[in-house]
């Protein structure tokens, strides 16, 4: 009887895991398989309490940026969003789109007490909101440098004083 109960619990956990992973299927259907796999691996390795929603608006994702630089930019933004999450403020939204010869990547997460003064320093070398600050302060700076290198743009906004949103726009054509 005990093994049957344990088996039932295991089956319910597997079904729950399958149901949860299904919401990420649109991500796995985008044309840039390396980017899709990378983002998916970040999502499934996020802390258990984090709730990630993914929206893919256009499955034909093409960028004019080298794959490893795109991964570095996206990875930095996803890592920062997950690191900022707490058990209470645990919502993350990732949006991917490609339109008008531009790749648009947005990541939004819940925040607590971030002011406009802090935001103005986000892309400065060495600036960090993290407590220890020692091995931090380079990610957003490096992401900004890479985006600039490809004549793109990265912006940050606070929405309703509850969410922080980073948007990266990269042109498919280099100037």
């Amino acid at each position: 009887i005990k093994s049957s109960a344990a088996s039932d619990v295991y089956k319910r956990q597997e079904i729950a895991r399958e149901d949860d992973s299904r919401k990420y299927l649109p991500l796995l259907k985008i044309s840039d398989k390396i980017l899709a796999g990378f983002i998916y691996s970040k999502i499934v390795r996020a802390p258990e309490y984090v709730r990630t929603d993914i929206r893919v608006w256009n499955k034909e994702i093409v960028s004019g940026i080298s794959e490893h630089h795109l991964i570095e930019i996206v990875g930095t933004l996803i890592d920062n969003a997950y690191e900022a999450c707490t058990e209470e403020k645990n919502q993350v939204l990732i949006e991917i789109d490609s339109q008008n010869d531009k790749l648009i990547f947005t990541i939004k997460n819940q925040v607590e007490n971030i002011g406009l003064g802090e935001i103005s320093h986000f892309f400065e070398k060495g600036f960090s909101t993290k407590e220890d600050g020692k091995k931090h302060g380079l990610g957003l700076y490096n992401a900004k440098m890479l985006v600039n290198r490809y004549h793109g743009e990265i912006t940050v906004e606070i929405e309703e004083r509850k969410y922080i949103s980073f948007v990266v726009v990269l042109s498919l054509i280099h100037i």
Side-chain angles (χ1 to χ4, degrees):
I1 295 175
K2 284 184 181 181
S3 66
S4 176
S7 177
D8 288 345
V9 168
Y10 177 75
K11 285 178 187 173
R12 282 195 303 271
Q13 287 173 335
E14 284 298 306
I15 290 168
R17 211 175 293 137
E18 276 183 30
D19 289 344
D20 197 40
S21 67
R22 282 191 184 131
K23 69 181 180 180
Y24 305 126
L25 286 178
L27 175 66
L28 298 178
K29 293 179 181 178
I30 67 173
S31 60
D32 187 331
K33 299 302 182 196
I34 294 172
L35 179 63
F38 177 75
I39 294 172
Y40 183 78
S41 72
K42 289 286 189 182
I43 292 169
V44 298
R45 287 184 176 87
E48 277 186 34
Y49 56 84
V50 172
R51 299 291 162 241
T52 303
D53 288 320
I54 182 99
R55 295 184 188 146
V56 177
W57 300 109
N58 185 341
K59 292 181 178 149
E60 288 301 316
I61 302 299
V62 182
S63 75
I65 182 172
S66 74
E67 199 71 50
H68 69 279
H69 287 154
L70 180 60
I71 294 297
E72 185 174 344
I73 293 164
V74 169
T76 296
L77 296 175
I78 292 173
D79 288 347
N80 284 357
Y82 286 156
E83 288 173 15
C85 285
T86 64
E87 290 191 28
E88 297 78 33
K89 297 192 181 286
N90 61 359
Q91 300 295 311
V92 174
L93 170 65
I94 298 171
E95 293 183 309
I96 303 169
D97 197 1
S98 186
Q99 57 181 315
N100 302 324
D101 293 328
K102 294 184 185 310
L103 169 68
I104 303 160
F105 178 82
T106 304
I107 187 155
K108 180 190 301 189
N109 60 281
Q110 291 177 293
V111 291
E112 206 171 312
N113 302 326
I114 289 188
L116 293 176
E118 258 185 313
I119 291 174
S120 67
H121 298 289
F122 274 5
F123 299 107
E124 291 177 7
K125 188 174 185 176
F127 180 80
S128 178
T129 60
K130 296 177 180 91
E131 295 292 320
D132 61 5
K134 290 180 183 176
K135 293 186 179 180
H136 305 288
L138 293 176
L140 288 175
Y141 171 78
N142 288 338
K144 174 80 170 166
M145 293 299 103
L146 287 171
V147 168
N148 288 346
R149 179 176 174 180
Y150 290 95
H151 308 285
E153 118 185 5
I154 184 169
T155 57
V156 59
E157 299 173 0
I158 295 287
E159 298 176 19
E160 302 168 14
R161 303 191 64 110
K162 295 179 185 178
Y163 297 91
I164 189 164
S165 178
F166 287 86
V167 179
V168 175
V169 179
L170 295 164
S171 178
L172 301 179
I173 303 163
H174 297 295
I175 300 170

